[in-house]
Amino acid sequence: MTSLLVIIVLLLVGVAIWQLTKIFDLTQVGANRNNSQIANNNDNNIQGYLMFGFLAFLYIFVIYGLFAWGHLVLIDPASEHGADYDNLMWITFGVVFFVLAITQVLLFYFAFKYRGAEGKKAVYFADNDKLEFIWTIIPVFVLAGLILYGLYTWTNIMFVDEDEDVMVVELYAKQFAWTARYSGKDNVLGKANVRLIEGINTMGVDLEDPNAQDDIAVTELHIPKGKKIVFKLRSQDVLHSAFMPHFRAQMNCVPGMVTQFAFRPIMTTDEMRQTEHMIEKVDNINKIRAKKSAELVANGESPLDPYTFDYLLLCNKICGASHYNMQMKIVVDTPQEFQNWLKDKPTIVKTVIDEKAAKAAENAPVAASVANKKVDSAKVAVIAAPVAVK
């Protein structure tokens, strides 16, 4: 509500200023004014200096942004390929800022230097092969270098050797939740299809497939440190995007097909929590939450819980009204901790069998009661018949 009032006030201020300018124009009726609509030297000088003013604003804003929001950048990559990904990003940023620093200065300087002036004529160049070669070949080499380096980095990230020891995990997306499916001891995911979704089998796993007998479904993803994980990605309904920012991993989840992404985690959740950068980030968040909690308590509401860092799987596509809520906690354990966590998890097949058994048990007393009532009615009929004859 406050934001709406601020916007309304700003609009009203703008309208008031506009009306004041019209009033000012009316007061100048009869004055000696130049209404030719042709720029003179004074107009051109003002425009030229405004160019320098905008250049200063641009650089000040960029520098301010680096200091004000630079701490929001994720510093410590939690995957093996994260360092290569970050190097590519920083090199690209460096090239962009370098080109920005040179081209913007030249752009606004030439706009000032060659501003209009009375009696000055523009010089026309039909063509300049040397100049055109320079401004063409330099971007070609720079962009080609970035593209080739990007392809090299992407290939290294996406490559999975067939003989490599990996763990296969499926990430299943639907509005607005994630489910993970482990491939079990055989390390092969069972077949699945949305047409097989029924009851507790929300992922549509083919329960008759031999490879599906040891598959395990969870709503909190645990992965072991140091083990390469191959993620198979599916979507039940619309286009989603599996985004794991700390692992520098993102891949679309497309309905009707299976996509793939792989990485090797190199930091457990506890190790990431102990990094200097993360400790500072969590402290800043908790200071903000403490300030907000004080306001909530003053209004008779419950305070916010302290923030604790966790890896998250997010959806990076606007997939619907509750898109912002579509996330799943990721826990990176040591190999032993992961095995201890996984060993007690029931398979999907067992879960479905248990659900059917529970439903059968619930229906059994009802069936027995109905049967007893039928027997009692028969007895009553047998006893009542002789009485009727007499």
Side-chain angles (χ1 to χ4, degrees):
M1 189 62 183
T2 303
S3 300
L4 179 61
L5 290 175
V6 170
I7 293 173
I8 293 173
V9 169
L10 290 175
L11 289 174
L12 292 175
V13 169
V15 171
I17 294 174
W18 176 48
Q19 292 297 327
L20 287 173
T21 58
K22 292 177 67 177
I23 293 171
F24 177 77
D25 286 339
L26 291 173
T27 60
Q28 302 301 309
V29 174
N32 185 18
R33 300 176 62 197
N34 181 7
N35 295 318
S36 64
Q37 302 297 316
I38 299 174
N40 54 32
N41 284 346
N42 184 55
D43 296 329
N44 292 329
N45 287 334
I46 291 174
Q47 295 297 323
Y49 286 112
L50 285 175
M51 289 292 178
F52 275 128
F54 187 79
L55 177 65
F57 166 77
L58 179 66
Y59 275 87
I60 290 171
F61 184 78
V62 170
I63 294 171
Y64 169 79
L66 291 174
F67 283 98
W69 302 301
H71 67 282
L72 298 177
V73 177
L74 300 179
I75 300 298
D76 303 304
S79 63
E80 189 177 51
H81 74 261
D84 294 334
Y85 181 98
D86 287 357
N87 287 338
L88 176 61
M89 182 184 71
W90 290 119
I91 290 173
T92 304
F93 277 172
V95 172
V96 169
F97 280 124
F98 176 76
V99 173
L100 175 73
I102 294 177
T103 58
Q104 296 306 303
V105 168
L106 293 176
L107 173 66
F108 292 105
Y109 169 72
F110 286 131
F112 172 79
K113 181 178 179 180
Y114 298 107
R115 67 193 183 279
E118 189 175 349
K120 182 185 290 186
K121 293 184 178 180
V123 179
Y124 173 72
F125 289 94
D127 54 55
N128 187 320
D129 294 340
K130 182 178 180 180
L131 187 60
E132 291 177 4
F133 177 81
I134 291 173
W135 75 40
T136 301
I137 201 67
I138 292 177
V140 165
F141 278 107
V142 172
L143 291 175
L146 288 175
I147 291 170
L148 290 174
Y149 182 38
L151 288 174
Y152 170 78
T153 304
W154 180 249
T155 301
N156 285 342
I157 292 173
M158 296 301 293
F159 177 74
V160 178
D161 193 341
E162 293 182 358
D163 299 327
E164 195 171 358
D165 182 22
V166 299
M167 184 174 74
V168 180
V169 178
E170 181 183 70
L171 296 178
Y172 187 68
K174 63 179 180 180
Q175 294 175 314
F176 298 95
W178 295 95
T179 307
R181 177 164 62 117
Y182 293 91
S183 52
K185 294 181 180 179
D186 62 1
N187 206 31
V188 179
L189 289 167
K191 296 177 182 178
N193 193 301
V194 292
R195 296 181 179 86
L196 300 176
I197 294 175
E198 182 182 1
I200 202 170
N201 185 14
T202 57
M203 302 178 74
V205 177
D206 184 355
L207 302 178
E208 297 181 0
D209 184 1
N211 293 323
Q213 302 308 304
D214 58 352
D215 289 0
I216 298 170
V218 296
T219 55
E220 181 178 284
L221 178 63
H222 283 242
I223 52 178
K225 173 185 174 181
K227 183 79 169 181
K228 191 162 190 176
I229 316 296
V230 176
F231 291 97
K232 304 289 184 176
L233 312 173
R234 286 196 300 135
S235 172
Q236 176 176 308
D237 35 48
V238 300
L239 185 66
H240 299 278
S241 184
F243 180 41
M244 294 170 270
H246 290 89
F247 302 101
R248 311 301 193 260
Q250 179 173 322
M251 181 59 67
N252 286 344
C253 306
V254 184
M257 67 181 295
V258 178
T259 53
Q260 177 176 308
F261 199 99
F263 65 79
R264 190 190 309 274
I266 59 174
M267 268 196 208
T268 66
T269 299
D270 290 335
E271 289 172 342
M272 178 59 80
R273 288 172 178 169
Q274 299 305 316
T275 60
E276 181 180 353
H277 178 254
M278 190 54 64
I279 291 174
E280 181 181 354
K281 186 183 289 288
V282 171
D283 287 343
N284 289 334
I285 293 173
N286 280 327
K287 287 178 182 177
I288 296 172
R289 293 175 76 88
K291 184 177 179 181
K292 182 64 177 178
S293 293
E295 296 176 5
L296 293 173
V297 171
N299 295 328
E301 301 178 42
S302 301
L304 300 173
D305 295 328
Y307 170 73
T308 301
F309 168 78
D310 283 305
Y311 294 120
L312 290 175
L313 165 62
L314 307 170
C315 177
N316 210 23
K317 286 284 187 294
I318 301 177
C319 56
S322 294
H323 154 73
Y324 64 96
N325 274 330
M326 189 170 169
Q327 54 183 264
M328 181 167 67
K329 180 180 176 181
I330 303 175
V331 180
V332 180
D333 297 315
T334 63
Q336 186 58 49
E337 289 172 341
F338 173 75
Q339 293 300 329
N340 292 339
W341 173 84
L342 187 64
K343 68 181 181 181
D344 296 329
K345 298 293 179 292
T347 63
I348 298 174
V349 173
K350 184 178 185 305
T351 304
V352 172
I353 292 174
D354 290 346
E355 183 199 30
K356 290 181 178 179
K359 287 184 177 180
E362 290 177 1
N363 295 331
V366 176
S369 176
V370 171
N372 289 335
K373 287 181 180 179
K374 288 181 178 179
V375 172
D376 292 342
S377 299
K379 288 180 179 178
V380 170
V382 170
I383 295 171
V387 175
V389 172
K390 290 181 180 180

